[in-house]
Amino acid sequence: MELDKVSFRYSKNKPLIESISGIVPTGKILCLIGPNGAGKSTILQLMAGELRPISGKVTIDGQQVFEMDIKKRAQKIAVVAQRNRLYDEMTVEDIVKTGRSPYHGTLATISNGEIKPIIQETHLDKLVDKSINTLSGGQQQRVWLAAAIAQDPDYLLLDEPTTYLDIHYQAELMNLIKKLQKEHNLTVVMVLHDINQALKISDEIWCIKNGQKVYDKAPMDLTNENILADLFNSKIKVVNIPQYGPYVIQIPE
């Protein structure tokens, strides 16, 4: 996937995204970080083909993502949103089956056996018959992740997947994403609010500020206090913790 001078704005407003270019590293994990309102989630939507750039283009193998047939695009790109609509009557099994819809006419034609390996990979075996609205936040995120993996995509896009989760479920979900990325050879693009999570899980990080990509670095190159202070307009301290590594702390003014 490549972004070539991509810009975007809503209606006649000032451009929210301005001339962003970059190549998403294939088979790796790319994280987008930056202050609130920087445009990270909008960039993810542009990558997913959910928004059309006002200029520039997002392409996969030379084809513009926004112009792809919806089913073909769903076979290439899966998205786990920050908030997902809950359907009270749908079970975990039914929701995971929706991930196979790009390959079928109706859900009724999707067999349980087709999704069984994904159910097992995401540790949902004991929850298949439960309604989605009865599950905890961490369990629900695993269900949406399983549905995304069921699409058999090349690209997995996640918008702040650990938001609203406690520390235990955050760590569990990050480990599962890393495991699935390796096993399915996925290219993962993830918006993360937590800098330390991004440093731990990423192969590459794009720093977004005021709708522009201001840094494009490997995680270890982002342990520079001056770069992070400039990105977040905050005083930053990076400390080394035994058995963990670099850890970013915001220092109160």
Side-chain angles (χ1 to χ4, degrees), residues 106-171:
T106 65
L107 289 183
T109 64
I110 303 170
S111 69
N112 294 342
E114 191 170 343
I115 63 164
K116 186 177 179 180
I118 298 155
I119 292 286
Q120 292 173 335
E121 277 185 296
T122 50
H123 314 300
L124 294 170
D125 315 57
K126 297 179 180 179
L127 302 174
V128 286
D129 297 322
K130 291 188 177 295
S131 295
I132 184 72
N133 67 336
T134 66
L135 305 184
S136 69
Q139 290 170 333
Q140 287 181 9
Q141 281 295 73
R142 271 194 282 137
V143 175
W144 299 119
L145 181 58
I149 296 299
Q151 288 177 227
D152 193 23
D154 295 324
Y155 295 87
L156 175 63
L157 312 184
L158 305 104
D159 191 3
E160 297 196 18
T162 57
T163 301
Y164 313 120
L165 301 185
D166 64 27
I167 293 172
H168 169 78
Y169 280 121
Q170 286 182 24

